[in-house]
Amino acid sequence: MDRGFRHILYPFVLFLLFIGYSSDVHATITRIYGSVTDSVTRETMPYVSVYLRNTTDGCQTDKDGNFSFLTSEDRAVLVVSSVGYEEKYISVDARTQYPLHIKLSPAVYELSEVEIKPERERYRRKENPAVELVQSLIKKREQHRLDSHEYYSRDRHELLTIALSNFDKSKLQQELLERIGVLQNYLDTSLVSGKPILNISSRELIGSDHYRKSPESHRKHVTARRRAGVDDFISEQEIDGIFEEVFKDVDIFQNDINLLRNRFVSPLSTLGPTVYKYYIMDTIQVEGTPCIDLAFVPFNSESHGFTGHLYLTADSTHFIKWAQMTTPYDINLNFVRTLSVSQTFTPAADGTPLLDKETLTAEVEITAQINGVYVKREVSYRNYLLDEPARLELFYQPESVVEEAGARERSEAYWEANRIGHVSEKERSVGDMIAHLREYPLFYWTEKVITYLFTGYVPNKKEEPEFFYGPLNTSISNNALEGLRLRVGGMTSAYLNPHLMGRFFVAYGFGDNRLKYMGEVEYSFKKKKEHINEFPIHSLRLRYENDIYQYGQTYLYTNKDNVFLNLKRMEDNQIGYLRKAEFSYNREHYNHLSYALVLRNKVYESSHLMPFETIGGATPTELPQTELELNLRYAPDEKFVQKKWDRTPLLPERPVFNLSHKVALKDVLGSQFTCHHTEASARKRFWLSSFGYIESVVRGGRVWNDVPYPLLITPNVNLSYTLQKESFALMNPMEFMADTYGAWETIYYMNGLIFNRIPLIKKLGWREVIDFKGFYGSLRPSNNPALTNNHNLYLFPLDHEYKNPLTDMPYMELSFGIENIFKVLEVDYIRRLTYTDIPGINKHGIRIRVHAQF
């Protein structure tokens, strides 16, 4: 599952499960239903608000303009309203005949230049005054961008609220919720539909933004931050990072708008005229200023764009006074019914648009049977300074977000005095409501179970836990050497000691009757808030591990004993043992340059599956090596989700470079061989605007000495039926060995580029994926026991007689996949392109991945 989506979703899953499905009890229920159409064009109208006046009963029309809802009212007035149309009122009672066929009349406009007739007009770009107007806006957007100044600063207030949508009377009449009568006091109203909502999470921030052009630096100074709601049991850094990444500030003057971890084409993009149709609709008053209403709509409604309006001053400047954007109904965007952005601007003295307020609203629906989730993010700005700021020292702070000490403990008086935007009483009372709910055992235990399932860890207590048991997905597994494997483990947190933390596991295999274990202690020179791996790391680490070792398999994104990897496409019998002791110094800098120096003693131990036998006939049981390793990593502007056990990088838009070198000297600290091993890699994500993105990684390495096969390079192989990045799905473990290699993987996530243009298929919301990967290497004759008389080298295992040095051509795999099947599943067909005549290999296969995303 996409990590960003998963971390947003799971706090609210528990609430949706707790609230449950709608059920109607007690009162006599009437179904009000019908359809809404445009009285002029006769087209159906989606997302029209339909409700009974002075009640909480109602709904929005669906994509076909149909509506249906239940009410216990005997007599009422039905209100039908939509932006740009005259509101309509219809009396309904027991005698009303259904279905209702309602026609809305457009509000009176004096159309100029172009008349809109949706899906019927012959649209032309040439000699279209609307397109000419947009092109003039695009040409001058750079000189009016805020960051065209040498400096700028501004105060900001940010409020993000998340609620259950359509929380109407029928929900409160459920037997469970009737006993929680306090919920009635917390009902709020959606800005999208005007329907009742129940706020379940609130996050608020007061601070300021600071920018310097040369050298380019962005700093956010946070003076106050707080949160409350159903997600407050999650790591604060984890959830903060996710929300800030998914709901970014919107800049319509950029080519792309980054929201929901997707790229949307801005209406002012240089690609705008090829993506959007533009129309000059009317002249209206915006805050007393005559403005031209410039409408836009994408040519292809399934692609990642917006429909909306730019309101430009009706003078020679054509200053953008107001922008409104909404995703089309048919957009290929999961779970999001509507996403709207509204921005208002004030001109600076030099004409630069200064953003006064940005409001983002979204309605998220997981299934049609349960409540949706309503999101509102409001950001207000004031006190712009387009000159050298008073606080230049902020640019010399290493972190991009500078948070004042005590920012999370501000008094209510501080918030009242410094808040720019408005926060309603209902939005402020989220914490009180959740506290009431946690007094009910059912909610309390539902919250706990969902927490354990989604995070994979069980804390020793709810508030400031000192210890976490887990991860749960490694508790039971199976492999050819150990048979059934059981494991327990855990880790401490900064609440026990902010500088000294540890983790461990103990595992037992019933097949080899052998105990495995790992223990780690890490001292951080920097005081930690929650977990040891918080950025930036500056620590000393001591670790000892005694466990199995799977040759040719390196698990980069999961644990080797993850229960979900137990099902394999072939017998996993290249397994031995490895004892490893490490002492390391680790340092990360705010410029995202990091390095580590590791002293490591490791002992490879043979097993009945992987015996050691030298050319000279000796049968050693152990191969000891002591090595010194230096790792360098540079990841400019890297962002990640901070989790308990690890952290997940987000959107590597700039290249990430890695370089490492290991050296072991024979007869020094127990080493049997001299070995120099160098590795290097680079990775990057290339965004193609709304046409998806490409993830690419290249790596290479060399072992400079003659060494036995446990110290050679083997490609990373994936034996499970799940998709795993940077591993080969159709290669067998240790099928190829090398002492020099290069490898690559390029994945193109096409975002429905083709499927969105095919009738019928586009309704499925499928998205295309192409993956091309390969491995090219060589093996010196002096490292091949079949071609040398070096009696210290180990014979390759008997069931791995074929060891191709890959001198003729690289090993390659190509896959074509479809993701977003049922919104959560990716299925890939993989084809092996080279070395297809080797006995015992798979030439093709099907792999799957659960991959929920927006």
Side-chain angles (χ1 to χ4, degrees):
M1 178 178 289
D2 180 85
R3 290 179 173 92
F5 179 80
R6 179 189 66 192
H7 283 74
I8 285 182
L9 176 65
Y10 69 69
F12 311 110
V13 166
L14 83 89
F15 211 98
L16 295 175
L17 289 176
F18 176 70
I19 296 303
Y21 291 73
S22 299
S23 62
D24 304 293
V25 297
H26 303 307
T28 301
I29 303 300
T30 300
R31 177 173 175 242
I32 296 179
Y33 63 100
S35 62
V36 180
T37 56
D38 185 305
S39 65
V40 177
T41 66
R42 294 185 176 82
E43 294 179 349
T44 59
M45 295 181 59
Y47 294 130
V48 174
S49 180
V50 184
Y51 62 95
L52 298 181
R53 189 165 59 185
N54 300 325
T55 75
T56 60
D57 299 336
C59 66
Q60 284 185 306
T61 58
D62 62 17
K63 66 177 181 179
D64 299 316
N66 298 316
F67 64 91
S68 175
F69 64 92
L70 303 176
T71 183
S72 58
E73 301 292 331
D74 296 327
R75 180 176 300 175
V77 174
L78 186 68
V79 181
V80 186
S81 65
S82 182
V83 176
Y85 289 83
E86 300 287 351
E87 204 164 58
K88 194 153 191 174
Y89 305 92
I90 302 170
S91 296
V92 293
D93 54 31
R95 296 172 296 178
T96 302
Q97 297 295 313
Y98 298 100
L100 298 173
H101 300 289
I102 302 169
K103 298 178 181 179
L104 288 188
S105 301
V108 177
Y109 284 127
E110 295 179 4
L111 299 180
S112 59
E113 305 291 356
V114 177
E115 181 181 358
I116 296 182
K117 294 181 179 178
E119 301 183 3
R120 296 181 183 180
E121 92 285 15
R122 278 191 179 177
Y123 182 83
R124 294 188 308 173
R125 294 194 190 101
K126 270 190 174 184
E127 299 179 356
N128 184 335
V131 174
E132 293 171 0
L133 178 56
V134 168
Q135 289 173 334
S136 70
L137 293 174
I138 294 172
K139 286 179 182 178
K140 67 180 183 181
R141 70 175 188 176
E142 290 301 322
Q143 65 186 18
H144 284 165
R145 286 175 52 86
L146 194 56
D147 56 12
S148 66
H149 298 78
E150 291 299 319
Y151 295 92
Y152 76 76
S153 62
R154 61 187 179 185
D155 295 339
R156 75 182 286 142
H157 170 256
E158 186 174 328
L159 176 68
L160 174 69
T161 55
I162 300 179
L164 295 185
S165 60
N166 292 329
F167 201 84
D168 58 18
K169 183 182 299 184
S170 65
K171 295 291 187 299
L172 291 174
Q173 289 175 339
Q174 292 184 50
E175 182 177 354
L176 172 62
L177 298 184
E178 277 192 319
R179 284 183 268 156
I180 312 176
V182 69
L183 291 181
Q184 179 70 50
N185 302 327
Y186 295 102
L187 290 182
D188 206 346
T189 304
S190 165
L191 292 181
V192 176
S193 63
K195 299 288 295 175
I197 58 175
L198 183 68
N199 296 320
I200 58 176
S201 177
S202 176
R203 318 177 67 79
E204 191 174 5
L205 179 145
I206 293 175
S208 54
D209 300 329
H210 303 264
Y211 170 78
R212 179 180 63 185
K213 189 173 186 178
S214 182
E216 187 174 17
S217 302
H218 292 267
R219 293 291 183 270
K220 180 187 287 186
H221 182 217
V222 178
T223 57
R225 187 198 293 266
R226 65 180 178 182
R227 65 171 183 163
V230 72
D231 59 338
D232 61 8
F233 59 85
I234 307 169
S235 165
E236 201 161 4
Q237 296 178 79
E238 181 176 351
I239 200 70
D240 284 348
I242 282 294
F243 278 122
E244 289 173 6
E245 183 65 27
V246 171
F247 300 112
K248 284 179 172 288
D249 294 341
V250 172
D251 185 353
I252 64 171
F253 301 101
Q254 295 273 18
N255 283 329
D256 294 328
I257 293 173
N258 191 349
L259 284 172
L260 304 180
R261 300 189 69 193
N262 280 280
R263 296 296 179 93
F264 299 82
V265 179
S266 168
L268 295 180
S269 167
T270 53
L271 294 174
T274 64
V275 175
Y276 290 104
K277 301 177 184 179
Y278 297 94
Y279 307 91
I280 297 175
M281 291 188 66
D282 195 12
T283 299
I284 64 173
Q285 296 286 323
V286 178
E287 296 180 343
T289 303
C291 290
I292 299 170
D293 181 357
L294 177 66
F296 52 90
V297 60
F299 282 96
N300 187 316
S301 61
E302 285 82 8
S303 61
H304 279 44
F306 295 97
T307 63
H309 302 262
L310 298 177
Y311 298 96
L312 318 174
T313 55
D315 55 26
S316 59
T317 67
H318 290 152
F319 178 80
I320 300 176
K321 186 76 173 171
W322 184 17
Q324 288 183 304
M325 302 182 294
T326 303
T327 51
Y329 179 83
D330 291 328
I331 190 171
N332 191 346
L333 191 64
N334 288 334
F335 308 106
V336 179
R337 292 188 61 195
T338 58
L339 173 67
S340 299
V341 179
S342 174
Q343 294 182 319
T344 57
F345 298 89
T346 299
D350 63 354
T352 300
L354 304 180
L355 181 60
D356 293 323
K357 185 176 181 180
E358 175 183 299
T359 302
L360 179 149
T361 57
E363 288 203 344
V364 180
E365 183 180 79
I366 300 172
T367 72
Q369 285 73 36
I370 60 177
N371 294 81
V373 174
Y374 168 80
V375 179
K376 183 185 73 171
R377 179 180 184 265
E378 287 188 341
V379 187
S380 301
Y381 302 95
R382 71 179 179 191
N383 297 335
Y384 278 85
L385 180 62
L386 305 182
D387 203 347
E388 183 175 307
R391 302 200 60 181
L392 276 175
E393 73 274 7
L394 285 173
F395 295 111
Y396 300 100
Q397 296 287 335
E399 58 265 56
S400 58
V401 178
V402 181
E403 187 169 311
E404 288 188 2
R408 299 175 190 251
E409 288 82 38
R410 297 299 188 191
S411 66
E412 191 60 40
Y414 181 93
W415 286 96
E416 291 295 334
N418 293 277
R419 181 185 287 123
I420 300 174
H422 173 70
V423 181
S424 71
E425 190 62 36
K426 299 294 177 63
E427 290 166 331
R428 299 184 198 187
S429 60
V430 171
D432 294 335
M433 184 196 70
I434 298 299
H436 280 298
L437 284 174
R438 285 176 179 152
E439 295 175 0
Y440 292 85
L442 179 58
F443 183 87
Y444 175 83
W445 287 108
T446 301
E447 180 180 54
K448 280 191 174 296
V449 170
I450 295 297
T451 303
Y452 303 157
L453 290 177
F454 275 91
T455 66
Y457 287 87
V458 180
N460 68 323
K461 60 180 183 179
K462 180 173 177 57
E463 299 294 334
E464 300 185 352
E466 297 97 353
F467 179 80
F468 292 86
Y469 167 79
L472 299 178
N473 62 7
T474 62
S475 299
I476 183 170
S477 58
N478 184 81
N479 61 71
L481 181 60
E482 295 180 286
L484 176 65
R485 172 184 169 112
L486 301 180
R487 169 173 151 168
V488 296
M491 63 182 179
T492 67
S493 76
Y495 297 117
L496 182 63
N497 188 309
H499 292 283
L500 187 65
M501 280 166 267
R503 44 185 162 183
F504 78 95
F505 74 75
V506 177
Y508 186 79
F510 289 87
D512 62 355
N513 296 313
R514 180 162 168 168
L515 191 69
K516 293 88 180 174
Y517 47 87
M518 184 277 291
E520 177 182 287
V521 177
E522 188 165 357
Y523 176 79
S524 173
F525 296 98
K526 180 181 175 63
K527 185 177 180 180
K528 297 298 183 179
K529 297 177 181 178
E530 295 180 90
H531 305 292
I532 192 66
N533 60 353
E534 293 167 6
F535 181 84
I537 293 173
H538 184 198
S539 69
L540 291 171
R541 181 187 304 156
L542 181 63
R543 176 188 177 97
Y544 184 80
E545 183 175 2
N546 183 347
D547 203 355
I548 63 170
Y549 180 71
Q550 295 171 287
Y551 289 87
Q553 298 181 67
T554 302
Y555 295 88
L556 301 175
Y557 301 102
T558 186
N559 301 294
K560 63 175 175 288
D561 47 2
N562 187 329
V563 66
F564 298 107
L565 301 182
N566 278 347
L567 184 61
K568 303 293 180 68
R569 60 182 170 88
M570 62 177 292
E571 186 178 5
D572 185 7
N573 57 5
Q574 289 77 44
I575 308 176
Y577 298 100
L578 177 63
R579 303 193 305 273
K580 184 168 57 178
E582 291 182 345
F583 180 69
S584 61
Y585 172 73
N586 308 276
R587 183 69 188 270
E588 292 179 329
H589 295 274
Y590 282 101
N591 64 359
H592 295 281
L593 173 67
S594 61
Y595 41 86
L597 187 64
V598 186
L599 178 63
R600 179 186 300 112
N601 174 265
K602 58 185 180 182
V603 180
Y604 295 92
E605 184 180 342
S606 65
S607 70
H608 70 277
L609 295 175
M610 295 294 290
F612 296 163
E613 183 178 358
T614 68
I615 296 176
T619 56
T621 58
E622 294 184 347
L623 170 61
Q625 286 286 98
T626 300
E627 60 192 21
L628 185 66
E629 179 176 2
L630 175 64
N631 286 301
L632 301 175
R633 186 175 189 270
Y634 183 50
D637 298 332
E638 182 179 42
K639 296 180 180 179
F640 34 74
V641 177
Q642 182 67 58
K643 297 184 289 182
K644 295 176 175 62
W645 191 271
D646 59 4
R647 59 194 188 197
T648 304
L650 291 174
L651 302 177
E653 298 177 12
R654 297 182 64 179
V656 177
F657 302 99
N658 287 273
L659 177 65
S660 69
H661 184 77
K662 294 183 285 190
V663 56
L665 301 178
K666 184 178 180 180
D667 298 328
V668 176
L669 299 177
S671 294
Q672 285 191 356
F673 294 86
T674 293
C675 181
H676 289 266
H677 185 170
T678 305
E679 294 272 350
S681 68
R683 67 182 66 246
K684 191 180 187 307
R685 174 174 290 186
F686 302 89
W687 276 99
L688 306 177
S689 191
S690 66
F691 306 117
Y693 60 90
I694 296 172
E695 285 189 357
S696 186
V697 58
V698 294
R699 60 174 67 250
R702 181 177 176 86
V703 175
W704 302 87
N705 308 93
D706 298 338
V707 293
Y709 75 79
L711 303 180
L712 291 175
I713 297 165
T714 54
N716 188 21
V717 172
N718 171 29
L719 294 183
S720 75
Y721 289 99
T722 64
L723 288 165
Q724 301 288 336
K725 292 182 181 178
E726 298 181 52
S727 65
F728 295 98
L730 299 177
M731 185 189 292
N732 294 345
M734 301 184 69
E735 181 180 330
F736 301 101
M737 288 187 181
D739 48 35
T740 302
Y741 86 99
W744 75 88
E745 181 172 17
T746 300
I747 310 175
Y748 180 19
Y749 296 93
M750 301 175 67
N751 212 20
L753 177 63
I754 299 173
F755 289 161
N756 286 346
R757 289 159 174 78
I758 301 177
L760 300 181
I761 290 182
K762 69 180 182 179
K763 299 299 182 182
L764 299 173
W766 290 353
R767 303 167 188 170
E768 318 85 342
V769 183
I770 299 176
D771 188 355
F772 179 51
K773 66 184 71 172
F775 182 95
Y776 187 81
S778 63
L779 185 68
R780 297 190 301 274
S782 59
N783 266 326
N784 190 334
L787 302 175
T788 182
N789 291 321
N790 186 344
H791 286 195
N792 292 320
L793 294 189
Y794 295 178
L795 294 173
F796 292 149
L798 292 179
D799 55 343
H800 300 287
E801 293 179 353
Y802 182 83
K803 289 295 174 289
N804 193 303
L806 292 165
T807 53
D808 298 330
M809 66 181 72
Y811 173 88
M812 293 182 288
E813 290 179 358
L814 180 64
S815 71
F816 297 92
I818 300 175
E819 64 172 346
N820 209 42
I821 300 172
F822 307 120
K823 301 183 180 180
V824 297
L825 187 65
E826 177 181 344
V827 178
D828 282 30
Y829 169 77
I830 305 175
R831 179 74 184 183
R832 178 167 169 155
L833 301 180
T834 54
Y835 301 96
T836 58
D837 56 348
I838 301 174
I841 58 95
N842 298 119
K843 296 182 180 180
H844 50 79
I846 301 293
R847 300 293 181 269
I848 63 173
R849 175 172 62 145
V850 176
H851 184 46
Q853 59 183 338
F854 288 112

